[in-house]
Amino acid sequence: MNTIKVDGAAGLGIYCHIPFCLKKCAYCDFSSFSGLSEEVIRNYFEALHKEIKNFAKENNSSVPAVDTIYFGGGTPSAVDAGYIETTLALLKEVFVISDDAEITIEINPGTLTGDKASRYKKAGINRASVGLQAWQDFLLKILGRIHSQADFIKTMEILKSAGFENFSVDVMVGLPGQKLADVMETLQALMAFSPTHLSSYSLILEPGTPMANWVEAGQLDLPDEDEEREMHWAVDGFLKEQGFKHYEISSYCRPGYESRHNVKYWELVPYLGFGLGAHGFYNGRRYGNANELNQYCELLNAGKAPGVLEPVMETRDMMSEWMFLGLRKLDGIRDDAFTERFGESFFGQYGNVINPLIAEGLLAWDGSVLKLTPRGQDFGNRIFMAFV
Ligand code: SF4
């Protein structure tokens, strides 16, 4: 039974963080843990459920209907399916969820069984995001992934037999020892599984991770920046040829299969983040949850909020985020949409930033839309930072 009224505003997104993995990958600095006992996992879900219920109690009116839910991690598919079922059932109990809501779960090969997949489907999950990263076993080993190519193939078979048709696959470029031919082989192999969405990320070396230490010690060599960009453009060319749309700097989809959840992040649409280290944006304020596992659980057990609320966002900050998050979308940003939201043209606020970037050939302006040029994609971070 739904207990929260809808105020008719834009659909709300919900992110739930599941911070457990079977083993920590060599490049990972996400909020995730391996080797924890079932008791710790059970306590975590109890705390997560408390957080969801507390939010519902404190906001018992005017919460918009939810139209996207995203179980991310960590590895949500690594825990007992019962935890995902009860969490989703709770969300359905305390929020109004639209009938056509996009409900995604992240799955890592080597953790999915037929039983889990069919229980996800029955619970209402209708989209899977699978972390392949690379087709070649030698690269998966370097990354410290638990899975092999054969595990990925099995995962896809399980998903298909459970009736999942809408799924995304994550791949990585710029890996140690990776060649352009490996990237192309990965993409070609993937086409046989007909994904609706692909995310292609460049490896980022996070300080303190084993991989960063190995590279620093000269034990692993990364492709240089030119090779990494060559890989990116090869991915781009191949996927476009296959009918995919490049809609966000790292994201490609079949027409109509954009990640509706992620689009909310780039369009400053409100979303709630529940769980360890989760972030949210609600009522014009951002918040971030505690990212230490014991602290998160203890705060909730003591009846306290696990997050720190930032002050209501100033218009100036909102404008800045609207610009640099929006420019991640390859379709760009419309000046009339900016004017509608903020009452003035973005050239009024950012002409001194935009015009030089246009002159440099990094942004393109057609009289109504501002977007990254292909060259601009290679300098994404520099461009985004210019609006901060
Ligand atoms: S599966 Fe993902 S979250 Fe888990 S350790 Fe590996 S990279 Fe990190």
Side-chain angles (χ1 to χ4, degrees), residues 297-351:
C297 294
E298 278 163 15
L299 282 168
L300 281 152
N301 288 336
K304 295 186 183 150
V308 176
L309 261 183
E310 290 179 12
V312 173
M313 216 190 273
E314 304 274 346
T315 308
R316 171 90 207 171
D317 295 333
M318 193 94 85
M319 287 175 170
S320 149
E321 292 206 7
W322 196 93
M323 295 298 291
F324 73 75
L325 292 172
L327 280 171
R328 297 188 65 88
K329 297 178 296 172
L330 274 289
D331 281 346
I333 45 181
R334 297 190 61 86
D335 195 32
D336 55 7
F338 186 93
T339 305
E340 197 184 315
R341 189 152 181 167
F342 300 110
E344 61 175 311
S345 157
F346 48 50
F347 280 97
Q349 276 295 323
Y350 296 107

Side-chain angles (χ1 to χ4, degrees), residues 177-364:
Q178 188 183 40
K179 297 278 173 255
L180 182 59
D182 299 319
V183 174
M184 299 320 290
E185 187 187 39
T186 299
L187 295 180
Q188 268 146 4
L190 267 182
M191 291 305 108
F193 302 96
S194 312
T196 52
H197 189 282
L198 254 122
S199 298
S200 172
Y201 300 106
S202 299
L203 174 71
I204 310 267
L205 278 186
E206 300 292 353
T209 56
M211 183 158 292
N213 296 340
W214 296 332
V215 171
E216 204 179 321
Q219 291 163 318
L220 280 180
D221 271 339
L222 291 179
D224 65 28
E225 208 181 315
D226 288 348
E227 285 175 286
E228 187 270 324
R229 290 325 291 165
E230 196 187 354
M231 290 175 186
H232 163 76
W233 286 111
V235 169
D236 190 80
F238 178 87
L239 290 177
K240 284 178 181 161
E241 241 174 64
Q242 297 288 324
F244 283 81
K245 179 182 176 193
H246 188 195
Y247 75 99
E248 187 266 343
I249 206 136
S250 309
S251 315
Y252 296 80
C253 68
R254 294 261 176 226
Y257 285 93
E258 288 88 355
S259 161
R260 283 162 49 196
H261 184 80
N262 288 348
V263 167
K264 291 185 195 297
Y265 300 150
W266 308 315
E267 295 189 343
L268 282 189
V269 173
Y271 61 92
L272 303 172
F274 293 120
L276 185 73
H279 288 258
F281 174 58
Y282 191 67
N283 281 345
R285 301 174 82 169
R286 292 205 175 277
Y287 65 88
N289 279 353
N291 52 16
E292 207 273 304
L293 188 57
N294 285 337
Q295 191 197 11
Y296 172 80
C297 294
E298 278 163 15
L299 282 168
L300 281 152
N301 288 336
K304 295 186 183 150
V308 176
L309 261 183
E310 290 179 12
V312 173
M313 216 190 273
E314 304 274 346
T315 308
R316 171 90 207 171
D317 295 333
M318 193 94 85
M319 287 175 170
S320 149
E321 292 206 7
W322 196 93
M323 295 298 291
F324 73 75
L325 292 172
L327 280 171
R328 297 188 65 88
K329 297 178 296 172
L330 274 289
D331 281 346
I333 45 181
R334 297 190 61 86
D335 195 32
D336 55 7
F338 186 93
T339 305
E340 197 184 315
R341 189 152 181 167
F342 300 110
E344 61 175 311
S345 157
F346 48 50
F347 280 97
Q349 276 295 323
Y350 296 107
N352 59 338
V353 175
I354 296 170
N355 289 322
L357 291 169
I358 294 174
E360 247 192 285
L362 301 177
L363 289 178

Side-chain angles (χ1 to χ4, degrees), residues 114 117-118 154-164:
S118 53
K154 192 166 157 220
T155 297
M156 299 315 282
E157 285 166 1
I158 293 172
L159 282 174
K160 295 245 163 164
S161 336
F164 281 91

